[in-house]
Every structure is written in C-alpha cells, then in structure tokens.
Amino acid sequence: MFDFVNRKKRVVQVIMGLAVLPFLFWGVESYRSDSGEGYVAIVDGEEIPRREYEQALRDHHERMRTMSGANFDSAMLDTFEVRNSVLERLIQQRLLHQEAINNGFIVLDSQLVNTIRDIPAFRKDNQFSKQQYEELLRAQGLTPALFESRVRQELLLQQLLDGYSENGFAPKTVADRVKYLSEVQREISQLQIEPEQFLSQVMPEEADINAYYEKHKVDFYLPERARVEYLVLSLDAIAQNETISDEAVRAYFDEHPDEFGQSEERKASHILISVPADASEDEKQAARDKAEGILAQVRQNPEQFAEIAKEHSDDPGSSTQGGDLGFFGRGVMVKSFEDKIFSMQLNEVSDLVETDFGLHIIQLTDIKEEKYPDLEDVREQIEKKLKIQMMGSMFGEIAEDFSNIVYEQGDNLQAAAEKFELTLQKSDWITRNSAEPSILANEKLLSAIFSDDAITNQRNTEAIEVKPDTFVSARIVEHRPAAAQSMMVVKDQIVEKLKKQMAEALTIEEGQAKLARLQAGEEDVDVTWGDTKQISYMQSQGLDHETLRAIFRAETDNLPVYTGTVDPKGGYSLIRISKVIEPESAEKENLSNFNKQLQQMITQEEMSSYLAALRQKYDVKVKQDNF
C-alpha cells in the first residue's frame, strides 16, 4: 500500500471498520447488560469494560471471517494469543489517548471536518455528500456524533504518533553498512560433530547419579493431579436445539443481501515515481520523463513488471513485493488511482496516473467478480445466527439457572446434565497448570477445581464463565496430592541426562581441539568437510544466528580461515571459510530505496519502544480471571 494508506493508517482503520459493522454479533444488548458487568483491565485508573473487550473480540473474529471467507476457522482464533492481542490493542489505545491528553494535543473542528470530507465512501460525484454520509452511518447503526467522536480520537492519536512515524532517520553511512552486511556472502564448508557419537563412551558414576537426584529432587515431583467430570453450558450448544422456520431464513436472506455477497475486488501492482508536493516545474518534468521511460520499458516487457517495480518504484511498502498491492475494493485507494484500476482490463498496463503522491504505472493482475450466493449456500449460516439471536435474550436466565442447580445439588452434576440436556464429560489427569483440555484451561476454573472444598468434599465448582457465553462446572472424581518420585523410579532419566551432558562436553572438547589445530596451520587434522555453500545474513541456509555471527566476525585477510560454534542442540559446528563474495555495487536509486526501508524498520522499533515505555509509565492492571 502506498504512502496515503501508510500516513493515514489509523484513520483508514476507523473507516474500514464501517465495512464490517453489519457483521457484528447482535448480542451487545442481550443478557450482558446484566451479567457482563466488570472490567478486564485498568489503565491509569480507567477501566476497560468487559463488554468493550468482548465486542472488540467479536469485531476481530468477524473481520477475520470476512477476509478468510470459506476458509475461516473460528477455532484458530479461540486462543490465548488472539484474546491477549485484542486486549493489548485496547490497552495501547488507552495509553496513547492518556499520553496525548497529558501532552496537550487537541483536534480542531476544522481538521475533523476536512478529514471526514476526504473519505471516499462519503463522496458523490467527487464531492462530499451529507446525505450519503448520514445514510451510510445509519445503515451501520452509527450516529454522526459517535462516528465523529471515533475519528477525533484517532486523529488525536495520530498527532501523538506522527512524531515517530514521520521522522525515522537512518544515516547514510549506517544504511550503506547495513546493506553491505546484508548482501556480502561467504563461502563455507562445515563439519558437524554430534554428541551422539560419544554416548557409548560415557557412563556416570553412582555418586554423580545420587548427587544429581538430591540437587534436582524438586524436578522429579509429580504435581498435584485430579480427574474431573464436567458440564459445558454454551450459547452455541443451547441454540443448536432450536428450530428456525424456512420463512424466517428466507426473510433474513432477503433483508441482508450485502451480508452474504462479495463486492468486486481487484488486484493490482504499481510503480510509483514520487513527486514532492513542493516540487518545481523542472523537477515535475524530470519525474514525468523518468516515469515515461519506465512505462516504455514496461510496455516492452510487461511480464517483467515485478522486477522493474523492485528496481524503480519509490513506494517502499510495495516495491519489495514487485509493486503488488493485493486485492482491494472500492473506497480504499485515492480516487484517481482507484477509478483507473476499476476501468482496466485484466493484465492491462495503464498510462501514467497522477495522484498527490506522484506518477503511477499500474498493472491489473486479477479480478474477483461481484458474487452473491444462493440461499441454500448460506442457509446453515443464517440458521445458526438466528438461533443464537433467538436464545441470546434468554441465555442470561439459563446461565443463572445452571449456576443455581450446580450449587444447590453440589454433590453431583447429573441433575444439571439432565435438566439442560448436556453431556457429562470426563477428563484425564489434569494439574493446576493444565492446558488440555482447553475448555478447562482457565485460571479461575482450575483454582476452583483444586480448592479445599472441591478436593475434600468432592463438591461441584461454581459455574464459571471460561469465555464469552460459555460456562463450566466441574467435580473431582479422583485426586492425588503432589509427591516425590523415588530414586529408583527416576534413575534411568537421571542417567540419560548425565550421559547427554557428558557427551556434549566431549563434543565441545573435540571440536575446539580440532579448531585450534586448524587455526595453527596443521595439515593432518582428521576433518571431512561437507559441501560448500554460500551464505549471507539474508540467505542463512538454515544456520542459526550465533553461527552466522561467528562466520561474519571471522577475519578473512588470509583464506581459508576457520571458526566454530556450539549449536543449540549441544553439538559443535566446525566451519571453514574459503571465499568472500563482495556484493555488486548498487545503483544510487536502490540505495535510496533501501535507506527508506531501513528508516521504516527503525521507526517500527522506536514505536515499539515508545509503547513499552508508556506501559511502564502508567499503571496497568489486567484482571486475569475476567480476561
């Protein structure tokens, strides 16, 4: 994506959010208004409501569903990593907003108006349309006041972040050196010495085995364990038992045509010849002459568009990808750029297209036609949504009844299973830190399972919400306390550990001895080198970072030279460097593009450091049980 999207990224995200709002779950105003109170985190004294977090999680799921289409798998998103990343984004928004306010940033009304007026989705005949603006917001369930508040906040954060995103700097000497180091190659051969070849030569003494056991006895403890039976009450499961009429399915399908259709999308590549806004007429003409020369080159060899883009495009975001911008629909790109793309034929190369960012040469590479499915194709999806909608308003009461019965009849789960038509499930041995089965891997639930009351009296745990709309109650059927394993039980494990350590020590000793002899110039060292290969930091050929560092730190004045490293698995890598292959001298334009990319990397690192510093500056508390 070229500079417009890079510079306006945060605002564009708000606008793009409009596209997914129709797909949000209807349940915001359901039972959560009563049972969903609470918060998931507190940022500098301000709570992030649990309801807001769950809505953000739904938004994320629906964006992924829209992007993935038929390939969407909700299970891939039901992970701690995804849930945590959504929460982290909300925390970062709060941190940045607080920092912007504390530093006196404001958004003028005129700035807000101009931003909204420039949004393509709100323009008609190249003019801002108040009617189209209000109709589009109304269709998404938004008021102008709410939407403008969101845009104002994003503009506020943009002011704060522009100091980092717009001012990344990499000195030319640094960029030249980094580029050189990324491209210079060294030709090497290796001999890998593995610990396995020494295992048969070593055997630990009995005293060493006993000493290891005494020193590491805690490592051989069996943790406290339990086997449980449990019930899962979820909105999805309850809804499955409902029946939806054909008429209701048909009515929903007819009333929501855009929900199931796919608007036309196009995939394009481009070459940008940038023209600064304050360029003189001579500079503009020079840029046009250059662009026309590149266009002639493209027309002569259109199949080499990607290579030409890598060499000549001034767009750092896409040039390394051969100019590829991916698929996009209307309303994403600047108007003149978009209008041209949506008027082109497949594989056509455009004339020069002028935007505020410069001159573009565009190649249309693929088209996804507008597509609307038949009712039968989406019947199951509609039925599921309507079933959830039907049961959502009642689920709060159902969950409360479930909670009451597992408490009142606390010595068994059978009564609750029969009343709510649930299957009583059983686990294998679990511990306080178990990750499987995932439905039980909830800190609050595991704490309840291993509570004194649940262990001593074998009573049901309370019904605990382990994720949105999903409650679990469990009961211990067998419990074993933590216990030390005897020396005789774990002796074989200890012997294997000690043999491995001894073999690794011999491996390193052997490798370092051979390396010393090679470096001393001895010629009768017993070494059988592997095939030669050329490696660089950009093409590591599978070598780990420490091995690469050793290779490129070695002095190469007199070749061949030798070095060696201990690999992560305990082996020793003996390395012969036989040749240094200098990179070809890069053209000035390529060096300039590399410098821009390096600046982007530095900017990203500075941004990450800034966010980390804010996390330390303000008090942030995550409420893990609700999260």
Side-chain angles (χ1 to χ4, degrees), residues 314-549:
D314 291 333
D315 175 15
S318 69
S319 60
T320 56
Q321 308 301 318
D324 185 16
L325 298 171
F327 279 101
F328 51 88
R330 291 187 179 274
V332 176
M333 302 295 186
V334 293
K335 191 173 187 308
S336 58
F337 190 90
E338 176 185 292
D339 287 347
K340 185 61 180 178
I341 287 174
F342 279 85
S343 68
M344 294 170 65
Q345 301 298 313
L346 187 62
N347 297 321
E348 180 183 349
V349 175
S350 72
D351 295 326
L352 297 183
V353 177
E354 186 170 355
T355 71
D356 292 341
F357 311 103
L359 300 167
H360 306 262
I361 301 165
I362 306 169
Q363 183 180 52
L364 183 63
T365 57
D366 203 351
I367 299 175
K368 286 183 181 178
E369 300 290 350
E370 183 179 67
K371 183 171 63 176
Y372 289 92
D374 295 329
L375 173 58
E376 293 307 315
D377 296 333
V378 294
R379 176 180 292 277
E380 185 177 340
Q381 181 181 346
I382 295 174
E383 286 181 348
K384 181 178 180 180
K385 181 170 289 191
L386 292 179
K387 286 177 180 181
I388 292 177
Q389 184 172 352
M390 179 186 297
M391 295 305 299
S393 59
M394 297 184 287
F395 188 66
E397 295 179 9
I398 295 172
E400 186 175 352
D401 288 345
F402 178 73
S403 181
N404 289 338
I405 195 170
V406 298
Y407 175 77
E408 292 166 359
Q409 301 192 36
D411 59 351
N412 71 86
L413 290 170
Q414 193 60 44
E418 293 173 358
K419 178 177 176 63
F420 297 99
E421 300 180 4
L422 302 174
T423 301
L424 190 60
Q425 303 180 63
K426 293 186 177 181
S427 77
D428 200 347
W429 291 105
I430 62 172
T431 70
R432 292 178 181 269
N433 300 310
S434 286
E436 295 294 337
S438 59
I439 195 69
L440 300 182
N442 174 276
E443 183 180 349
K444 188 174 181 180
L445 177 60
L446 288 170
S447 178
I449 289 173
F450 287 95
S451 66
D452 291 340
D453 186 42
I455 294 170
T456 305
N457 302 316
Q458 291 189 307
R459 290 189 58 82
N460 303 336
T461 69
E462 63 179 306
I464 293 171
E465 190 171 16
V466 296
K467 59 183 179 179
D469 309 329
T470 303
F471 293 81
V472 175
S473 177
R475 177 176 172 273
I476 287 180
V477 295
E478 189 175 357
H479 175 263
R480 292 182 182 175
Q485 299 181 84
S486 70
M487 168 68 170
M488 295 308 298
V489 171
V490 300
K491 183 176 180 179
D492 288 346
Q493 296 179 42
I494 296 175
V495 169
E496 289 303 312
K497 285 178 179 290
L498 291 177
K499 286 183 66 176
K500 184 179 179 182
Q501 291 177 7
M502 296 167 73
E504 288 175 355
L506 287 178
T507 300
I508 296 171
E509 182 180 329
E510 173 84 359
Q512 290 178 340
K514 288 188 174 182
L515 175 61
R517 294 176 62 193
L518 288 168
Q519 289 178 335
E522 295 186 25
E523 297 181 356
D524 60 343
V525 184
D526 181 18
V527 175
T528 303
W529 296 108
D531 295 337
T532 60
K533 53 186 176 182
Q534 296 174 353
I535 59 100
S536 69
Y537 274 112
M538 299 298 290
Q539 296 177 329
S540 64
Q541 307 278 17
L543 299 181
D544 64 88
H545 185 67
E546 287 304 314
T547 302
L548 282 175
R549 286 188 63 190

Side-chain angles (χ1 to χ4, degrees), residues 173-213:
T173 53
V174 172
D176 291 348
R177 184 60 180 164
V178 171
K179 184 172 177 60
Y180 172 81
L181 289 174
S182 69
E183 294 180 353
V184 65
Q185 294 181 314
R186 294 194 171 186
E187 185 176 88
I188 68 164
S189 307
Q190 286 179 277
L191 169 64
Q192 193 70 24
I193 306 174
E194 301 292 355
E196 285 73 19
Q197 69 189 74
F198 297 100
L199 284 174
S200 61
Q201 304 174 25
V202 295
M203 179 57 68
E205 300 289 339
E206 200 69 28
D208 295 329
I209 298 172
N210 290 329
Y212 187 94
Y213 176 75

Side-chain angles (χ1 to χ4, degrees), residues 79-303:
T79 64
F80 170 80
E81 288 75 16
V82 170
R83 296 192 296 272
N84 188 56
S85 69
V86 170
L87 179 60
E88 280 299 314
R89 284 198 294 271
L90 292 176
I91 290 173
Q92 287 180 2
Q93 288 174 3
R94 292 296 202 283
L95 291 171
L96 291 168
H97 185 264
Q98 188 63 47
E99 185 73 357
I101 295 299
N102 290 346
N103 282 279
F105 289 101
I106 61 171
V107 175
L108 301 175
D109 290 344
S110 58
Q111 184 182 2
L112 176 67
V113 169
N114 289 336
T115 299
I116 293 177
R117 283 182 176 275
D118 288 341
I119 295 172
F122 301 145
R123 300 177 73 86
K124 188 174 183 180
D125 298 329
N126 209 27
Q127 296 291 327
F128 175 78
S129 169
K130 186 171 184 293
Q131 179 182 356
Q132 187 161 319
Y133 170 63
E134 293 176 346
E135 287 178 354
L136 182 56
L137 294 184
R138 193 181 306 116
Q140 316 307 327
L142 288 173
T143 64
L146 177 58
F147 176 73
E148 289 161 16
S149 174
R150 292 182 181 179
V151 176
R152 185 184 294 274
Q153 179 168 331
E154 294 301 325
L155 289 172
L156 186 70
L157 300 188
Q158 182 182 313
Q159 290 184 38
L160 178 67
L161 296 176
D162 274 353
Y164 292 88
S165 61
E166 299 293 334
N167 293 291
F169 174 72
K172 182 179 181 303
T173 53
V174 172
D176 291 348
R177 184 60 180 164
V178 171
K179 184 172 177 60
Y180 172 81
L181 289 174
S182 69
E183 294 180 353
V184 65
Q185 294 181 314
R186 294 194 171 186
E187 185 176 88
I188 68 164
S189 307
Q190 286 179 277
L191 169 64
Q192 193 70 24
I193 306 174
E194 301 292 355
E196 285 73 19
Q197 69 189 74
F198 297 100
L199 284 174
S200 61
Q201 304 174 25
V202 295
M203 179 57 68
E205 300 289 339
E206 200 69 28
D208 295 329
I209 298 172
N210 290 329
Y212 187 94
Y213 176 75
E214 293 299 326
K215 186 176 181 180
H216 300 87
K217 188 178 292 187
V218 67
D219 296 342
F220 301 108
Y221 264 70
L222 285 176
E224 181 182 20
R225 296 174 294 160
R227 290 193 302 111
V228 302
E229 57 184 15
Y230 59 97
L231 293 176
V232 180
L233 177 80
S234 68
L235 176 56
D236 283 347
I238 293 294
Q240 283 179 5
N241 298 325
E242 297 304 307
T243 302
I244 301 295
S245 68
D246 288 342
E247 291 78 10
V249 173
R250 166 63 68 180
Y252 190 93
F253 180 76
D254 292 340
E255 292 168 8
H256 301 82
D258 293 337
E259 183 172 340
F260 306 103
Q262 175 183 297
S263 299
E264 180 184 358
E265 291 185 345
R266 296 196 165 201
K267 184 179 183 182
S269 298
H270 84 135
I271 298 169
L272 170 66
I273 305 304
S274 61
V275 180
D278 57 353
S280 66
E281 289 302 320
D282 288 344
E283 290 173 329
K284 290 179 181 178
Q285 186 58 49
R288 179 167 290 277
D289 292 343
K290 178 181 177 181
E292 288 175 347
I294 296 172
L295 176 59
Q297 187 179 349
V298 169
R299 290 200 184 285
Q300 197 168 26
N301 298 287
E303 71 282 354

